[in-house]
Amino acid sequence: MSIYRLIYASKVSESVKEKDIQAILETANTKNKALNVTGGLFFNYKYFLQCLEGSRENVSSIYHAIVKDTRHELITMIDFQEIQQRDFSQWSMAYLSHSTVNNAVILEYSSADTFNPFEMTSDSCYRLMLQLRESAPQL
């Protein structure tokens, strides 16, 4: 069976609170485990950047549910491709909070030191997720 990686970015809806992030993570962990989907979510109160890995059908199903989620605005698929192996195999959903990254890390992958995935290349978004993965607690 083939494995796919989907990376998307979205703007956080103004109505989103910290408790909503916890609910997103709990739902993602439960659903993703059942569907054999792994990944990571970076959140900085303004933007989401998420990577999903798994079968084409399951990754697409989760992405389509996210597109309908009112906690996200301006949802943009950054990358979708077949991959040889998972990068987030240890996490049903690694949570990469804004506190795990400093502005110097953002500047490595962006033209500014403030996180805005809409101003980054798909490769830069992917590489940032890989770097942040190293500091993510396992949920």
Side-chain angles (χ1 to χ4, degrees), residues 2 12 46 70 101 127:
S2 297
V12 177
K46 190 168 184 179
T70 59
V101 62
R127 291 181 184 279

Side-chain angles (χ1 to χ4, degrees), residues 18-41:
E18 189 67 37
K19 66 180 169 92
D20 295 314
I21 302 307
Q22 198 57 41
I24 287 171
L25 291 170
E26 289 171 10
T27 300
N29 276 307
T30 302
K31 277 184 147 180
N32 292 2
K33 281 180 186 174
L35 297 172
N36 294 313
V37 170
T38 57
L41 173 68

